[in-house]
Amino acid sequence: MKELEERIKTDGIVLDDDVLKVGGFLNHQIDPKLMKAMAVEWHELYKDSRVDKILTIEASGIAMATMAAYEFGVPLLFAKKNKTANISDDVYAAEVKSFTHGVTYNVQVEKKFLHKDENVLIIDDFLARGEALRGLIDICGQAGAQVVGCGIAVEKAFQPGGDMLRKNGVRIESLARIKSMNSQNGIEFC
Ligand code: 5GP
């Protein structure tokens, strides 16, 4: 998606050659027009699939996934990274190692919000090693829900997550795919 690639080029900051900071428009300060354009794009890509629910993981996936859910006319469900007092014990859970924080979260979704035979589209901001998607797919499997596919804003194609999931038959649609990046030479898209 040209608009997202342009924005990454102008406002993205490459950190340590494997982390891209997009806090100016995507996951700290948020550009709603760009989120809306991304949602329209995912809707176009998945318009032939039945989608009953959008699933993401807190926190930075929520804004774009909300826009996508609005576009599809379905609810947005987000997996919580930590157990809080207002979440029941009746949950589907999966361990997810965070790429950016290095810690392992026990990611949870309340059973009453995810049902057998629902068709789920998973949305997230980044795809790196595929841990977050693997955890969300696992949670859908526990519920007996089908994963229609995944919509990703930025896939770092030089990291293994995308290839690994595609090999396992998961449909991944990434709006920007980064071939390589470093703080000296900038960002090259696939
Ligand atoms: P994965 O689970 O695929 O290894 O990593 C994806 C998750 O880690 C995303 O939910 C995202 O929040 C975070 N992440 C991975 N790489 C980056 C990155 O380069 N920049 C930012 N801002 N977040 C990232």
Side-chain angles (χ1 to χ4, degrees):
M1 183 188 172
K2 213 73 233 131
E3 194 180 341
L4 178 60
E5 289 184 3
E6 293 298 330
R7 195 62 182 271
I8 291 169
K9 283 216 158 164
T10 45
D11 292 346
I13 298 163
V14 179
L15 213 71
D16 303 331
D17 296 349
D18 66 352
V19 173
L20 177 67
K21 288 195 78 172
V22 288
F25 59 98
L26 206 137
N27 56 21
H28 190 14
Q29 173 171 266
I30 290 167
D31 178 342
K33 275 195 180 150
L34 182 62
M35 297 300 109
K36 158 92 177 162
M38 286 161 45
V40 168
E41 198 82 9
W42 283 317
H43 185 253
E44 183 59 26
L45 287 160
Y46 283 102
K47 67 173 185 289
D48 297 328
S49 304
R50 198 184 108 199
V51 173
D52 303 313
K53 193 161 280 180
I54 304 282
L55 176 65
T56 191
I57 184 166
E58 69 178 359
S60 43
I62 295 175
M64 62 196 74
T66 303
M67 288 289 196
Y70 187 81
E71 210 58 40
F72 280 88
V74 300
L76 161 72
L77 176 64
F78 65 91
K80 300 205 176 196
K81 280 184 176 158
N82 291 301
K83 180 144 179 48
T84 54
N86 59 3
I87 191 166
S88 82
D89 288 331
D90 211 12
V91 294
Y92 300 115
E95 296 217 323
V96 169
K97 184 160 191 226
S98 161
F99 180 83
T100 38
H101 300 114
V103 295
T104 298
Y105 296 104
N106 189 28
V107 168
Q108 310 192 354
V109 162
E110 281 195 60
K111 287 187 178 172
K112 66 180 176 197
F113 295 129
L114 190 59
H115 307 117
K116 189 172 177 315
D117 297 332
E118 268 185 326
N119 288 296
V120 176
L121 174 62
I122 298 174
I123 297 281
D124 203 9
D125 57 347
F126 276 90
L127 172 54
R129 295 194 193 114
E131 269 286 296
L133 293 188
R134 189 200 44 71
L136 295 176
I137 291 167
D138 185 331
I139 282 174
C140 289
Q142 292 173 40
Q146 327 312 322
V147 176
V148 167
C150 304
I152 299 296
V154 186
E155 176 178 346
K156 291 180 289 176
F158 57 90
Q159 290 171 337
D163 282 353
M164 184 259 293
L165 289 158
R166 288 184 183 97
K167 264 188 208 135
N168 288 333
V170 182
R171 180 177 172 193
I172 311 273
E173 299 288 354
S174 303
L175 302 183
R177 297 186 75 231
I178 297 178
K179 189 174 170 188
S180 64
M181 63 184 199
N182 67 60
S183 40
Q184 260 101 59
N185 303 324
I187 298 165
E188 193 188 348
F189 293 98
C190 292

